Structures are given as structure tokens and as C-alpha cells.
Amino acid sequence: MGLTARALAGLGPIDLKSVARDSLLRWIVFVPILIALLVRWGVPVVATRLDERFGFDLAPYHTLIASFVVLTVPMIVGVVLGFLLLDQKDDRTLSALQVTPLGLGGYLVYRLGVPVAISVIMTLVAVPLTGLAGFRPAVLLPAALAAAPLAPVYALLLAAFARDKVQGFALMKAAGFLNWPPLLAWFAPLPWQWAFGCVPTYWPAKLYWLLERGRPGVAALYFTAGLAYQALLLWLLMRRFTRIMQR
């Protein structure tokens, strides 16, 4: 059994117990499903009111709303894992791991790989649950894969820049604003829309829009660019986190 598999078998149950013990994390885990249900029940009501009062048709913006859910799922998953990292940094668990066969590197592979997998699965469940998009693997799976690395980005952002859970909670609220620039980008024409590319959430959102419009060729370019950008951010954040843990 490889080190990562052993980490999953040994640390997975510990993580589940940690989440179950923490009332904040227990609540956060269900946020993606709650948001999907809120969209499912709320959008038709809002659409009816807008149509009756202003003659505004919300239907052309269903793809935009669904893309917000695509971005929200990895954010929530990353926040949960980020708080677990903060807990383990505070109780010196991570320092102890550095002298085990698993090592800090093997632990981080496990810690950052698991949220990617969880994010993909939860996105495949949450987006169809909104009622705005059916389960179309050719559209939803690439979008879920493109957005999933955002989960370890958020996790490392909390772990690398927050000293404790109090700072982590404040940073979590600030990081939530990263989901809003892609919504603004929807209304920006090209090439001005590319200015939003400095925000990592833009790339998976744009990918989802293109796939919904039936443009897989162009979407492949955004898929590649988005993953490359997120890989760079992960490398930078991991370097900072590793330096902090080695002090």
C-alpha cells in the first residue's frame, strides 16, 4: 500500500471525527447542497416577480447562476479542509508528521488530493440539484474538474495566511469575494473580459459558459489555462505553507 493510500486509511477517519466534533464544520459541509436547494426553490420565485413587475426574463442567466454553484462547491470544501489544517497546525500534528515515513509532503498530497475528489463529486450532485442544468457529463464533468483545484487553493490560503481559526474565519469571508468577479465578467465584452483572468475563479466559470453554448474547442483552451494558473497558485501557496511549518 502506498503512502497516500495509507494516509487515506489512517487519517481519513480522524478527519471525519474532527469535522463531526466541530459545530462550525458540521454546518459548512452541507452549505453546497443548501445553496443548490435555495437556487432550485428561489430562482423560479424571483423569475416570476421580475417578469411580472419589470418584464425581465431571467432564463438567459440560468447558466450564470449555475456557474456560481460550480465555483461555490470547491470553496466550501476548501474552507473545511483549511480549518482542519489550522487545527493540526495548532496542535503540532503537522510538525510530528515531518518525522514519520509519510512526511509533510506525503501528508499534503493526501490533504490536497482528497478535497479535489470531494469537490468533483459534490459539484456533480449540486449543480443538477439547482434545476437550472441537467446532468450532462460532457458539460458538467469538465467544469467540475476545472473548478476542483480551487478547493486546495482555498485550503492552503487559510493554512498559509491565518494564524488561528479566528483569522481563518475572517479570511474565509474575504476569500468568498473571489466568486463575484466571474459574475461581473459575464457582462464584459471580449477582450475586456480577459482582465478578470487574474482571478482563478474566472477560468472554470468561463469554461462552463462555453460548454453550455456548445463551444468545446474554445473551452479546452480555458480548461488548460485555468489548470495551469491554479497549479501555479498551489505551488506558491505550498511553498509558503512549507516554510511556515519548517520554522
Side-chain angles (χ1 to χ4, degrees):
M1 183 183 295
L3 289 179
T4 304
R6 276 186 282 173
L8 182 61
L11 298 176
I14 297 175
D15 287 344
L16 290 176
K17 290 179 182 178
S18 299
V19 172
R21 285 198 306 263
D22 193 306
S23 58
L24 173 64
L25 297 185
R26 283 202 310 269
W27 178 80
I28 290 178
V29 164
F30 295 102
V31 167
I33 302 302
L34 293 175
I35 290 176
L37 292 175
L38 180 63
V39 170
R40 186 183 188 93
W41 296 328
V43 167
V45 175
V46 173
T48 301
R49 296 289 177 84
L50 289 175
D51 185 47
E52 291 175 350
R53 294 191 178 186
F54 306 105
F56 181 82
D57 185 11
L58 192 61
Y61 300 95
H62 283 182
T63 296
L64 176 63
I65 299 170
S67 69
F68 181 78
V69 178
V70 171
L71 298 178
T72 300
V73 171
M75 182 190 76
I76 299 302
V77 174
V79 165
V80 172
L81 271 297
F83 277 120
L84 288 178
L85 279 172
L86 284 175
D87 278 341
Q88 290 165 350
K89 186 169 68 171
D90 287 341
D91 62 20
R92 312 298 295 177
T93 301
L94 296 181
S95 298
L97 281 169
Q98 295 184 59
V99 296
T100 66
L102 180 63
L104 183 60
Y107 172 79
L108 288 176
V109 170
Y110 154 77
R111 175 60 73 214
L112 302 181
V114 168
V116 168
I118 294 174
S119 177
V120 171
I121 295 170
M122 292 190 70
T123 301
L124 295 178
V125 173
V127 175
L129 194 59
T130 64
L132 302 181
F135 185 76
R136 291 179 292 162
V139 173
L140 192 52
L141 184 58
L145 291 172
L150 291 171
V153 167
Y154 282 112
L156 280 175
L157 186 66
L158 292 184
F161 289 96
R163 294 181 180 176
D164 49 39
K165 276 193 172 181
V166 175
Q167 287 190 0
F169 189 71
L171 189 57
M172 176 191 73
K173 292 190 290 185
F177 285 102
L178 292 176
N179 282 357
W180 293 102
L183 305 188
L184 299 176
W186 172 276
F187 301 98
L190 291 173
W192 299 107
Q193 193 181 96
W194 292 335
F196 293 90
C198 60
V199 182
T201 49
Y202 166 76
W203 301 96
K206 179 67 174 182
L207 168 74
Y208 182 72
W209 305 339
L210 290 169
L211 291 173
E212 282 285 358
R213 294 168 186 166
R215 301 178 63 189
V218 181
L221 298 177
Y222 281 85
F223 182 84
T224 303
L227 289 184
Y229 187 25
Q230 292 175 82
L232 174 62
L233 292 177
L234 281 172
W235 178 71
L236 293 173
L237 288 168
M238 192 175 296
R239 284 191 64 187
R240 175 179 171 83
F241 181 72
T242 303
R243 284 200 304 267
I244 291 172
M245 293 310 304
Q246 290 176 345
R247 288 176 183 171

CSV table of all heavy atoms in Angstrom, one decimal, residues 13-33:
chain,number,residue,atom,x,y,z
A,13,PRO,N,-10.5,8.6,8.7
A,13,PRO,CA,-11.4,8.6,9.8
A,13,PRO,C,-11.2,9.6,10.9
A,13,PRO,O,-12.1,10.1,11.5
A,13,PRO,CB,-11.1,7.2,10.4
A,13,PRO,CG,-10.6,6.4,9.3
A,13,PRO,CD,-9.8,7.4,8.5
A,14,ILE,N,-9.9,10.0,11.0
A,14,ILE,CA,-9.6,11.1,12.0
A,14,ILE,C,-10.2,12.4,11.5
A,14,ILE,O,-10.8,13.2,12.3
A,14,ILE,CB,-8.1,11.2,12.2
A,14,ILE,CG1,-7.5,10.0,12.8
A,14,ILE,CG2,-7.8,12.4,13.1
A,14,ILE,CD1,-6.0,10.0,12.9
A,15,ASP,N,-10.1,12.7,10.2
A,15,ASP,CA,-10.7,13.9,9.7
A,15,ASP,C,-12.2,13.9,9.8
A,15,ASP,O,-12.8,15.0,10.2
A,15,ASP,CB,-10.3,14.0,8.2
A,15,ASP,CG,-8.9,14.4,8.0
A,15,ASP,OD1,-8.2,14.9,8.9
A,15,ASP,OD2,-8.4,14.2,6.8
A,16,LEU,N,-12.8,12.8,9.6
A,16,LEU,CA,-14.3,12.7,9.7
A,16,LEU,C,-14.7,13.0,11.2
A,16,LEU,O,-15.7,13.7,11.4
A,16,LEU,CB,-14.8,11.3,9.3
A,16,LEU,CG,-14.7,11.0,7.8
A,16,LEU,CD1,-15.1,9.6,7.5
A,16,LEU,CD2,-15.6,12.0,7.0
A,17,LYS,N,-13.9,12.5,12.1
A,17,LYS,CA,-14.3,12.7,13.5
A,17,LYS,C,-14.0,14.2,13.9
A,17,LYS,O,-14.8,14.8,14.6
A,17,LYS,CB,-13.4,11.8,14.4
A,17,LYS,CG,-13.7,10.4,14.4
A,17,LYS,CD,-12.8,9.5,15.3
A,17,LYS,CE,-13.2,8.1,15.2
A,17,LYS,NZ,-12.3,7.2,16.0
A,18,SER,N,-13.0,14.8,13.3
A,18,SER,CA,-12.7,16.2,13.6
A,18,SER,C,-13.8,17.1,13.1
A,18,SER,O,-14.3,18.0,13.7
A,18,SER,CB,-11.4,16.6,12.9
A,18,SER,OG,-10.3,15.9,13.4
A,19,VAL,N,-14.3,16.8,11.9
A,19,VAL,CA,-15.5,17.5,11.3
A,19,VAL,C,-16.7,17.3,12.1
A,19,VAL,O,-17.5,18.3,12.4
A,19,VAL,CB,-15.7,17.1,9.8
A,19,VAL,CG1,-17.0,17.8,9.3
A,19,VAL,CG2,-14.5,17.5,9.0
A,20,ALA,N,-17.0,16.1,12.6
A,20,ALA,CA,-18.2,15.8,13.4
A,20,ALA,C,-18.1,16.5,14.7
A,20,ALA,O,-19.2,16.9,15.2
A,20,ALA,CB,-18.3,14.3,13.6
A,21,ARG,N,-16.9,16.7,15.3
A,21,ARG,CA,-16.8,17.3,16.6
A,21,ARG,C,-17.0,18.8,16.5
A,21,ARG,O,-17.4,19.5,17.5
A,21,ARG,CB,-15.5,17.0,17.2
A,21,ARG,CG,-15.3,15.6,17.8
A,21,ARG,CD,-14.2,15.6,18.8
A,21,ARG,NE,-12.9,16.1,18.2
A,21,ARG,CZ,-12.0,15.3,17.6
A,21,ARG,NH1,-12.2,14.0,17.6
A,21,ARG,NH2,-10.9,15.8,17.1
A,22,ASP,N,-16.7,19.4,15.4
A,22,ASP,CA,-16.7,20.9,15.2
A,22,ASP,C,-18.1,21.3,14.7
A,22,ASP,O,-18.4,21.0,13.6
A,22,ASP,CB,-15.6,21.3,14.3
A,22,ASP,CG,-15.4,22.8,14.4
A,22,ASP,OD1,-16.3,23.6,14.2
A,22,ASP,OD2,-14.2,23.2,14.6
A,23,SER,N,-18.8,22.1,15.5
A,23,SER,CA,-20.2,22.5,15.1
A,23,SER,C,-20.1,23.4,13.8
A,23,SER,O,-21.0,23.3,13.0
A,23,SER,CB,-20.9,23.3,16.2
A,23,SER,OG,-20.1,24.4,16.6
A,24,LEU,N,-19.1,24.2,13.7
A,24,LEU,CA,-19.0,25.1,12.5
A,24,LEU,C,-18.8,24.3,11.2
A,24,LEU,O,-19.4,24.5,10.2
A,24,LEU,CB,-17.8,26.1,12.7
A,24,LEU,CG,-17.5,26.9,11.5
A,24,LEU,CD1,-18.6,27.9,11.1
A,24,LEU,CD2,-16.2,27.7,11.7
A,25,LEU,N,-17.8,23.3,11.3
A,25,LEU,CA,-17.5,22.5,10.2
A,25,LEU,C,-18.7,21.6,9.8
A,25,LEU,O,-18.9,21.3,8.6
A,25,LEU,CB,-16.3,21.7,10.4
A,25,LEU,CG,-15.0,22.5,10.6
A,25,LEU,CD1,-13.8,21.5,10.7
A,25,LEU,CD2,-14.8,23.5,9.5
A,26,ARG,N,-19.4,21.1,10.8
A,26,ARG,CA,-20.6,20.2,10.5
A,26,ARG,C,-21.6,21.0,9.7
A,26,ARG,O,-22.2,20.5,8.8
A,26,ARG,CB,-21.2,19.8,11.8
A,26,ARG,CG,-20.5,18.7,12.5
A,26,ARG,CD,-21.5,17.9,13.5
A,26,ARG,NE,-22.2,18.8,14.3
A,26,ARG,CZ,-21.9,19.2,15.6
A,26,ARG,NH1,-20.7,18.8,16.0
A,26,ARG,NH2,-22.6,20.0,16.3
A,27,TRP,N,-21.8,22.3,10.0
A,27,TRP,CA,-22.7,23.1,9.3
A,27,TRP,C,-22.2,23.4,7.9
A,27,TRP,O,-23.0,23.4,6.9
A,27,TRP,CB,-23.0,24.4,10.1
A,27,TRP,CG,-23.9,25.3,9.4
A,27,TRP,CD1,-25.3,25.2,9.4
A,27,TRP,CD2,-23.6,26.5,8.6
A,27,TRP,NE1,-25.8,26.3,8.6
A,27,TRP,CE2,-24.8,27.1,8.2
A,27,TRP,CE3,-22.4,27.1,8.3
A,27,TRP,CZ2,-24.8,28.2,7.4
A,27,TRP,CZ3,-22.4,28.2,7.5
A,27,TRP,CH2,-23.6,28.8,7.1
A,28,ILE,N,-20.9,23.8,7.8
A,28,ILE,CA,-20.4,24.2,6.5
A,28,ILE,C,-20.5,23.1,5.4
A,28,ILE,O,-20.7,23.3,4.3
A,28,ILE,CB,-18.9,24.7,6.6
A,28,ILE,CG1,-18.9,26.0,7.4
A,28,ILE,CG2,-18.2,24.8,5.3
A,28,ILE,CD1,-17.5,26.5,7.7
A,29,VAL,N,-20.3,21.8,5.9
A,29,VAL,CA,-20.3,20.7,5.0
A,29,VAL,C,-21.6,20.6,4.1
A,29,VAL,O,-21.5,20.3,3.0
A,29,VAL,CB,-20.1,19.4,5.8
A,29,VAL,CG1,-20.5,18.2,4.9
A,29,VAL,CG2,-18.7,19.2,6.3
A,30,PHE,N,-22.7,21.1,4.7
A,30,PHE,CA,-24.0,21.0,4.0
A,30,PHE,C,-24.3,22.2,3.2
A,30,PHE,O,-25.4,22.3,2.5
A,30,PHE,CB,-25.1,20.7,5.0
A,30,PHE,CG,-25.0,19.3,5.6
A,30,PHE,CD1,-24.5,19.2,6.9
A,30,PHE,CD2,-25.3,18.2,5.0
A,30,PHE,CE1,-24.3,18.0,7.5
A,30,PHE,CE2,-25.2,16.9,5.6
A,30,PHE,CZ,-24.7,16.8,6.9
A,31,VAL,N,-23.5,23.2,3.2
A,31,VAL,CA,-23.7,24.5,2.6
A,31,VAL,C,-23.9,24.3,1.0
A,31,VAL,O,-24.9,24.9,0.5
A,31,VAL,CB,-22.7,25.6,2.9
A,31,VAL,CG1,-22.8,26.8,1.9
A,31,VAL,CG2,-22.8,26.0,4.3
A,32,PRO,N,-23.1,23.6,0.3
A,32,PRO,CA,-23.3,23.5,-1.1
A,32,PRO,C,-24.7,22.9,-1.5
A,32,PRO,O,-25.3,23.4,-2.4
A,32,PRO,CB,-22.2,22.5,-1.6
A,32,PRO,CG,-21.1,22.6,-0.6
A,32,PRO,CD,-21.9,22.9,0.7
A,33,ILE,N,-25.2,21.9,-0.7
A,33,ILE,CA,-26.5,21.3,-1.0
A,33,ILE,C,-27.6,22.4,-0.7
A,33,ILE,O,-28.6,22.5,-1.4
A,33,ILE,CB,-26.7,20.0,-0.2
A,33,ILE,CG1,-25.6,19.0,-0.6
A,33,ILE,CG2,-28.1,19.5,-0.5
A,33,ILE,CD1,-25.6,18.7,-2.0
